[in-house]
Amino acid sequence: MSIGYVYILSNERVPSLVKIGYTEGDPSVRAKELSRGTGVPGNWIVEKSWKLENPYKWERKLHASLNQYREMPGEFFE
């Protein structure tokens, strides 16, 4: 079973959305990667993260429970 993090990221350039995802690495490193590679201007900031077993499973559960707030396909929520 993998250990990793589920995280919530924000970006001042898209204040109405958060990104909910998972990583098996450090969430702050993931935020920096996304800040460079998504095409969204501005920097992603880790608002909250949880260290969990099987973070992918927990990410899927969160996405399903928040589906009504999903802004677009993927990991972005209002």
Side-chain angles (χ1 to χ4, degrees), residues 2 4 6 9 12 15 17 22 24-25 37-39 41-42 44 49 52 60 62 73-76:
S2 68
V6 171
L9 304 180
E12 66 181 16
L17 298 179
Y22 88 99
E24 292 181 358
T38 61
W44 292 98
S49 66
L52 303 163
R60 293 287 129 214
L62 272 172
E75 301 179 332
F76 295 92

Side-chain angles (χ1 to χ4, degrees), residues 23-43:
T23 183
E24 292 181 358
D26 184 317
S28 63
V29 171
R30 182 68 180 133
K32 288 177 188 174
E33 292 170 351
L34 291 168
S35 295
R36 291 189 307 262
T38 61
V40 176
N43 293 318

Side-chain angles (χ1 to χ4, degrees), residues 62-73:
L62 272 172
H63 286 187
S65 68
L66 297 171
N67 195 50
Q68 67 184 357
Y69 303 105
R70 192 182 300 262
E71 181 61 26
M72 57 188 81

